[in-house]
Amino acid sequence: MFAVTRVVLHGIIEDLSHTTYSQCGDADEAYDHLQSFEFVFILHLMKEVLGRTKTLSQALHKKPQNILNAIELVASTKVSLNDYKNNGWDSLLAEVTYFCHRHLIETPNMSAPYTSPRYRPHKKDIHVTFEHYYRVDLFTCTLDKQLHELNSRFNEHAMELLALSSSLVSKEINVDKICLLVEKYYPEDFTEQEMIHLRYQLGIFSVEKTKNTKLSGASTISELCKSLVETQKRETYYLVDRVVWLILTLPVSIATTERGLSAMKIFKNHLRNKVADEYLTNSLVIHIENEIAEKFDSESIID
């Protein structure tokens, strides 16, 4: 892909009969960047980072989630990125250097003072070598940001919440973990008497789960919720059902909300000079009211 892209750009630069001077200038600038050591270094670094996070990203985008597997995958991804940060510099530099030699791209002297090929050199540049720039400012900084992103999105509280939740779909239900989950994260959704009764209800439910194939076959929280409805056990184990529904709101309250806010941010950035906040708020309220009205109309038709 790299060689083909380089040939295409070179063809645009040389073929003045079918291109404008502006297009030739853009192609020439892109060709210079493509032929730089910094571009090749960032390209290989992106490949390594995306390769180590691709499995996690694909797993988290799946609708049916195995919480315990997701937790283990997040932890494994963190370990992989941290290990590459501590031990991957030499292999990355060797790979980039070999690639540059093969494509006749000039490689800098890593012990020489760093000077940017795109900007005028500053006085502080003489105190920074090329190795420091590429290793610290690019390599280490990029991996630190990736680890920080994972740690912020999957902090200790979120990981503990997911770990406690996974006990409901494990082979043997850990009653203490579920009760701790309710006491710690959902104290306002259960009265003191309901918390006491929940422990006994979980004990009976764990016994029946081992004997009921539909209940024991549930590998995710959503499947457990469906099996409670299909087996008509939802009313019997109403406290367990409530815990399941509270856990199911996690993806809605986290992922869906973030996607909605991101979409709104894009919309406002694109039309920020034409659309005011008040208009956006009113439009959003009207849209929600219309959605609710359509839902009730459809339900009335079905009835």
Side-chain angles (χ1 to χ4, degrees):
M1 180 63 74
F2 182 85
V4 174
T5 305
R6 187 169 58 176
V7 170
V8 171
L9 290 174
H10 191 267
I12 295 174
I13 297 170
E14 296 294 330
D15 189 9
L16 297 175
S17 60
H18 295 85
T19 56
T20 63
Y21 286 105
S22 176
Q23 291 173 337
C24 289
D26 292 339
D28 185 61
E29 184 178 359
Y31 186 82
D32 289 340
H33 285 303
L34 197 71
Q35 288 289 106
S36 66
F37 179 86
E38 183 173 340
F39 177 85
V40 175
F41 182 88
I42 294 175
L43 194 67
H44 281 76
L45 179 58
M46 287 177 60
K47 183 193 73 172
E48 294 294 334
V49 173
L50 293 176
R52 282 169 168 76
T53 56
K54 181 180 179 181
T55 304
L56 174 62
S57 178
Q58 290 177 336
L60 294 179
H61 277 82
K62 293 180 180 179
K63 289 186 178 180
Q65 285 289 340
N66 187 314
I67 297 176
L68 192 58
N69 287 344
I71 294 172
E72 293 174 350
L73 192 55
V74 169
S76 300
T77 303
K78 290 180 181 180
V79 172
S80 177
L81 288 173
N82 193 60
D83 181 69
Y84 185 67
K85 170 189 168 185
N86 296 329
N87 306 306
W89 165 252
D90 293 332
S91 60
L92 176 65
L93 182 61
E95 185 180 356
V96 172
T97 303
Y98 172 76
F99 185 91
C100 290
H101 289 163
R102 194 176 63 178
H103 291 86
L104 303 178
I105 298 174
E106 183 181 358
T107 58
N109 180 6
M110 288 295 171
S111 60
Y114 170 75
T115 55
S116 174
R118 290 177 291 174
Y119 308 104
R120 292 182 179 180
H122 299 283
K123 293 181 179 180
K124 63 179 181 180
D125 288 342
I126 60 175
H127 301 292
V128 177
T129 62
F130 275 96
E131 182 177 3
H132 181 277
Y133 171 72
Y134 285 108
R135 184 168 188 172
V136 178
D137 296 345
L138 290 182
F139 177 76
T140 304
C141 184
T142 299
L143 292 169
D144 281 341
K145 286 182 178 179
Q146 290 294 319
L147 289 169
H148 176 73
E149 182 72 14
L150 287 175
N151 289 328
S152 61
R153 289 183 176 272
F154 302 96
N155 54 39
E156 294 181 0
H157 294 291
M159 297 290 280
E160 182 185 17
L161 179 58
L162 293 174
L164 293 174
S165 303
S166 65
S167 178
L168 273 173
V169 291
S170 59
K171 293 182 179 180
E172 294 184 4
I173 295 179
N174 191 319
V175 177
D176 293 331
K177 285 186 177 181
I178 302 302
C179 292
L180 177 62
L181 168 72
V182 172
E183 293 173 4
K184 192 170 184 179
Y185 295 99
Y186 302 110
E188 297 181 0
D189 296 285
F190 294 84
T191 64
E192 186 176 351
Q193 292 182 347
E194 286 177 335
M195 289 185 181
I196 296 173
H197 186 54
L198 175 63
R199 180 177 294 274
Y200 297 108
Q201 197 173 104
L202 283 169
I204 301 172
F205 177 74
S206 62
V207 174
E208 186 168 350
K209 183 183 176 184
T210 58
K211 300 179 180 180
N212 192 311
T213 55
K214 287 189 176 180
L215 293 175
S216 60
S219 59
T220 64
I221 298 296
S222 58
E223 291 178 0
L224 179 61
C225 180
K226 293 178 182 178
S227 63
L228 283 171
V229 176
E230 292 173 355
T231 56
Q232 299 181 353
K233 301 293 183 180
R234 181 181 178 184
E235 294 183 359
T236 304
Y237 301 105
Y238 62 96
L239 294 177
V240 177
D241 182 71
R242 190 187 304 175
V243 175
V244 171
W245 278 99
L246 287 171
I247 296 173
L248 283 174
T249 61
L250 288 174
V252 176
S253 62
I254 297 173
T256 307
T257 305
E258 288 185 359
R259 284 197 295 267
L261 291 175
S262 298
M264 179 60 73
K265 184 178 180 181
I266 295 172
F267 179 71
K268 289 192 67 177
N269 284 341
H270 181 62
L271 299 173
R272 61 181 179 272
N273 295 328
K274 298 181 180 180
V275 183
D277 288 338
E278 182 179 357
Y279 178 80
L280 284 175
T281 304
N282 294 336
S283 299
L284 184 61
V285 172
I286 293 173
H287 176 72
I288 294 173
E289 290 176 350
N290 291 336
E291 289 285 338
I292 296 174
E294 291 178 1
K295 181 179 179 181
F296 279 107
D297 290 340
S298 61
E299 290 180 353
S300 60
I301 293 173
I302 295 174
D303 295 338

PDB file of all heavy atoms in Angstrom, residues 47-64:
ATOM      1  N   LYS A  47      -0.005   1.150  13.876  1.00  0.00           N
ATOM      2  CA  LYS A  47      -0.294  -0.247  13.570  1.00  0.00           C
ATOM      3  C   LYS A  47      -0.175  -1.110  14.825  1.00  0.00           C
ATOM      4  O   LYS A  47      -1.021  -1.984  15.079  1.00  0.00           O
ATOM      5  CB  LYS A  47       0.669  -0.745  12.493  1.00  0.00           C
ATOM      6  CG  LYS A  47       0.424  -2.186  12.039  1.00  0.00           C
ATOM      7  CD  LYS A  47       1.578  -2.723  11.234  1.00  0.00           C
ATOM      8  CE  LYS A  47       2.769  -3.014  12.142  1.00  0.00           C
ATOM      9  NZ  LYS A  47       3.870  -3.724  11.454  1.00  0.00           N
ATOM     10  N   GLU A  48       0.856  -0.867  15.633  1.00  0.00           N
ATOM     11  CA  GLU A  48       1.058  -1.659  16.842  1.00  0.00           C
ATOM     12  C   GLU A  48      -0.027  -1.390  17.886  1.00  0.00           C
ATOM     13  O   GLU A  48      -0.558  -2.316  18.504  1.00  0.00           O
ATOM     14  CB  GLU A  48       2.440  -1.359  17.433  1.00  0.00           C
ATOM     15  CG  GLU A  48       3.607  -1.799  16.576  1.00  0.00           C
ATOM     16  CD  GLU A  48       3.698  -3.305  16.446  1.00  0.00           C
ATOM     17  OE1 GLU A  48       3.206  -4.016  17.358  1.00  0.00           O
ATOM     18  OE2 GLU A  48       4.235  -3.783  15.435  1.00  0.00           O
ATOM     19  N   VAL A  49      -0.372  -0.120  18.068  1.00  0.00           N
ATOM     20  CA  VAL A  49      -1.375   0.235  19.076  1.00  0.00           C
ATOM     21  C   VAL A  49      -2.754  -0.288  18.674  1.00  0.00           C
ATOM     22  O   VAL A  49      -3.473  -0.891  19.486  1.00  0.00           O
ATOM     23  CB  VAL A  49      -1.417   1.762  19.283  1.00  0.00           C
ATOM     24  CG1 VAL A  49      -2.577   2.149  20.198  1.00  0.00           C
ATOM     25  CG2 VAL A  49      -0.108   2.252  19.882  1.00  0.00           C
ATOM     26  N   LEU A  50      -3.135  -0.054  17.411  1.00  0.00           N
ATOM     27  CA  LEU A  50      -4.442  -0.518  16.947  1.00  0.00           C
ATOM     28  C   LEU A  50      -4.514  -2.039  16.932  1.00  0.00           C
ATOM     29  O   LEU A  50      -5.574  -2.621  17.190  1.00  0.00           O
ATOM     30  CB  LEU A  50      -4.718   0.035  15.543  1.00  0.00           C
ATOM     31  CG  LEU A  50      -4.915   1.551  15.449  1.00  0.00           C
ATOM     32  CD1 LEU A  50      -5.083   1.984  14.001  1.00  0.00           C
ATOM     33  CD2 LEU A  50      -6.123   1.994  16.263  1.00  0.00           C
ATOM     34  N   GLY A  51      -3.407  -2.693  16.629  1.00  0.00           N
ATOM     35  CA  GLY A  51      -3.392  -4.144  16.651  1.00  0.00           C
ATOM     36  C   GLY A  51      -3.624  -4.711  18.038  1.00  0.00           C
ATOM     37  O   GLY A  51      -4.266  -5.750  18.199  1.00  0.00           O
ATOM     38  N   ARG A  52      -3.114  -4.023  19.062  1.00  0.00           N
ATOM     39  CA  ARG A  52      -3.276  -4.495  20.436  1.00  0.00           C
ATOM     40  C   ARG A  52      -4.631  -4.138  21.034  1.00  0.00           C
ATOM     41  O   ARG A  52      -5.031  -4.713  22.045  1.00  0.00           O
ATOM     42  CB  ARG A  52      -2.157  -3.917  21.307  1.00  0.00           C
ATOM     43  CG  ARG A  52      -0.837  -4.638  21.121  1.00  0.00           C
ATOM     44  CD  ARG A  52       0.319  -3.895  21.770  1.00  0.00           C
ATOM     45  NE  ARG A  52       1.506  -4.737  21.826  1.00  0.00           N
ATOM     46  CZ  ARG A  52       2.291  -5.008  20.800  1.00  0.00           C
ATOM     47  NH1 ARG A  52       2.007  -4.487  19.612  1.00  0.00           N
ATOM     48  NH2 ARG A  52       3.341  -5.798  20.929  1.00  0.00           N
ATOM     49  N   THR A  53      -5.314  -3.183  20.461  1.00  0.00           N
ATOM     50  CA  THR A  53      -6.628  -2.782  20.990  1.00  0.00           C
ATOM     51  C   THR A  53      -7.791  -3.218  20.100  1.00  0.00           C
ATOM     52  O   THR A  53      -8.950  -3.021  20.482  1.00  0.00           O
ATOM     53  CB  THR A  53      -6.686  -1.250  21.151  1.00  0.00           C
ATOM     54  OG1 THR A  53      -6.386  -0.630  19.886  1.00  0.00           O
ATOM     55  CG2 THR A  53      -5.677  -0.781  22.180  1.00  0.00           C
ATOM     56  N   LYS A  54      -7.506  -3.812  18.943  1.00  0.00           N
ATOM     57  CA  LYS A  54      -8.569  -4.190  18.002  1.00  0.00           C
ATOM     58  C   LYS A  54      -9.489  -5.244  18.600  1.00  0.00           C
ATOM     59  O   LYS A  54     -10.718  -5.143  18.487  1.00  0.00           O
ATOM     60  CB  LYS A  54      -7.954  -4.704  16.700  1.00  0.00           C
ATOM     61  CG  LYS A  54      -8.992  -5.103  15.659  1.00  0.00           C
ATOM     62  CD  LYS A  54      -8.345  -5.598  14.380  1.00  0.00           C
ATOM     63  CE  LYS A  54      -9.386  -6.015  13.358  1.00  0.00           C
ATOM     64  NZ  LYS A  54      -8.763  -6.516  12.100  1.00  0.00           N
ATOM     65  N   THR A  55      -8.929  -6.260  19.232  1.00  0.00           N
ATOM     66  CA  THR A  55      -9.743  -7.338  19.794  1.00  0.00           C
ATOM     67  C   THR A  55     -10.705  -6.811  20.854  1.00  0.00           C
ATOM     68  O   THR A  55     -11.885  -7.168  20.883  1.00  0.00           O
ATOM     69  CB  THR A  55      -8.843  -8.424  20.410  1.00  0.00           C
ATOM     70  OG1 THR A  55      -7.926  -8.894  19.406  1.00  0.00           O
ATOM     71  CG2 THR A  55      -9.672  -9.588  20.919  1.00  0.00           C
ATOM     72  N   LEU A  56     -10.210  -5.923  21.717  1.00  0.00           N
ATOM     73  CA  LEU A  56     -11.058  -5.326  22.751  1.00  0.00           C
ATOM     74  C   LEU A  56     -12.150  -4.475  22.126  1.00  0.00           C
ATOM     75  O   LEU A  56     -13.315  -4.531  22.531  1.00  0.00           O
ATOM     76  CB  LEU A  56     -10.212  -4.490  23.707  1.00  0.00           C
ATOM     77  CG  LEU A  56     -10.972  -3.690  24.762  1.00  0.00           C
ATOM     78  CD1 LEU A  56     -11.738  -4.618  25.690  1.00  0.00           C
ATOM     79  CD2 LEU A  56     -10.017  -2.811  25.557  1.00  0.00           C
ATOM     80  N   SER A  57     -11.783  -3.670  21.128  1.00  0.00           N
ATOM     81  CA  SER A  57     -12.757  -2.793  20.480  1.00  0.00           C
ATOM     82  C   SER A  57     -13.869  -3.600  19.820  1.00  0.00           C
ATOM     83  O   SER A  57     -15.054  -3.265  19.949  1.00  0.00           O
ATOM     84  CB  SER A  57     -12.050  -1.922  19.435  1.00  0.00           C
ATOM     85  OG  SER A  57     -12.980  -1.096  18.756  1.00  0.00           O
ATOM     86  N   GLN A  58     -13.513  -4.666  19.123  1.00  0.00           N
ATOM     87  CA  GLN A  58     -14.526  -5.502  18.470  1.00  0.00           C
ATOM     88  C   GLN A  58     -15.415  -6.199  19.492  1.00  0.00           C
ATOM     89  O   GLN A  58     -16.626  -6.318  19.288  1.00  0.00           O
ATOM     90  CB  GLN A  58     -13.843  -6.536  17.571  1.00  0.00           C
ATOM     91  CG  GLN A  58     -13.184  -5.949  16.334  1.00  0.00           C
ATOM     92  CD  GLN A  58     -12.466  -6.994  15.507  1.00  0.00           C
ATOM     93  OE1 GLN A  58     -12.072  -8.050  16.017  1.00  0.00           O
ATOM     94  NE2 GLN A  58     -12.285  -6.712  14.230  1.00  0.00           N
ATOM     95  N   ALA A  59     -14.822  -6.639  20.587  1.00  0.00           N
ATOM     96  CA  ALA A  59     -15.607  -7.336  21.616  1.00  0.00           C
ATOM     97  C   ALA A  59     -16.601  -6.404  22.292  1.00  0.00           C
ATOM     98  O   ALA A  59     -17.746  -6.785  22.570  1.00  0.00           O
ATOM     99  CB  ALA A  59     -14.673  -7.947  22.652  1.00  0.00           C
ATOM    100  N   LEU A  60     -16.202  -5.157  22.543  1.00  0.00           N
ATOM    101  CA  LEU A  60     -17.080  -4.211  23.231  1.00  0.00           C
ATOM    102  C   LEU A  60     -18.204  -3.699  22.344  1.00  0.00           C
ATOM    103  O   LEU A  60     -19.188  -3.159  22.839  1.00  0.00           O
ATOM    104  CB  LEU A  60     -16.260  -3.028  23.757  1.00  0.00           C
ATOM    105  CG  LEU A  60     -15.255  -3.349  24.864  1.00  0.00           C
ATOM    106  CD1 LEU A  60     -14.502  -2.101  25.275  1.00  0.00           C
ATOM    107  CD2 LEU A  60     -15.936  -3.980  26.071  1.00  0.00           C
ATOM    108  N   HIS A  61     -18.063  -3.847  21.023  1.00  0.00           N
ATOM    109  CA  HIS A  61     -19.104  -3.394  20.114  1.00  0.00           C
ATOM    110  C   HIS A  61     -20.178  -4.454  19.886  1.00  0.00           C
ATOM    111  O   HIS A  61     -21.189  -4.174  19.234  1.00  0.00           O
ATOM    112  CB  HIS A  61     -18.502  -2.994  18.761  1.00  0.00           C
ATOM    113  CG  HIS A  61     -17.960  -1.608  18.750  1.00  0.00           C
ATOM    114  ND1 HIS A  61     -16.709  -1.296  19.248  1.00  0.00           N
ATOM    115  CD2 HIS A  61     -18.485  -0.435  18.338  1.00  0.00           C
ATOM    116  CE1 HIS A  61     -16.497   0.008  19.115  1.00  0.00           C
ATOM    117  NE2 HIS A  61     -17.556   0.549  18.561  1.00  0.00           N
ATOM    118  N   LYS A  62     -19.966  -5.657  20.398  1.00  0.00           N
ATOM    119  CA  LYS A  62     -20.972  -6.695  20.246  1.00  0.00           C
ATOM    120  C   LYS A  62     -22.124  -6.442  21.209  1.00  0.00           C
ATOM    121  O   LYS A  62     -21.916  -6.039  22.348  1.00  0.00           O
ATOM    122  CB  LYS A  62     -20.367  -8.078  20.516  1.00  0.00           C
ATOM    123  CG  LYS A  62     -19.336  -8.495  19.472  1.00  0.00           C
ATOM    124  CD  LYS A  62     -18.777  -9.870  19.805  1.00  0.00           C
ATOM    125  CE  LYS A  62     -17.749 -10.301  18.773  1.00  0.00           C
ATOM    126  NZ  LYS A  62     -17.165 -11.636  19.092  1.00  0.00           N
ATOM    127  N   LYS A  63     -23.337  -6.689  20.758  1.00  0.00           N
ATOM    128  CA  LYS A  63     -24.512  -6.448  21.604  1.00  0.00           C
ATOM    129  C   LYS A  63     -24.592  -7.420  22.767  1.00  0.00           C
ATOM    130  O   LYS A  63     -24.726  -6.995  23.916  1.00  0.00           O
ATOM    131  CB  LYS A  63     -25.783  -6.510  20.749  1.00  0.00           C
ATOM    132  CG  LYS A  63     -25.925  -5.316  19.816  1.00  0.00           C
ATOM    133  CD  LYS A  63     -27.252  -5.340  19.098  1.00  0.00           C
ATOM    134  CE  LYS A  63     -27.395  -4.107  18.217  1.00  0.00           C
ATOM    135  NZ  LYS A  63     -28.696  -4.099  17.501  1.00  0.00           N
ATOM    136  N   PRO A  64     -24.546  -8.750  22.540  1.00  0.00           N
ATOM    137  CA  PRO A  64     -24.536  -9.662  23.693  1.00  0.00           C
ATOM    138  C   PRO A  64     -23.168  -9.684  24.351  1.00  0.00           C
ATOM    139  O   PRO A  64     -22.189 -10.101  23.734  1.00  0.00           O
ATOM    140  CB  PRO A  64     -24.876 -11.030  23.075  1.00  0.00           C
ATOM    141  CG  PRO A  64     -24.445 -10.918  21.657  1.00  0.00           C
ATOM    142  CD  PRO A  64     -24.584  -9.480  21.274  1.00  0.00           C
TER     143      PRO A  64
END
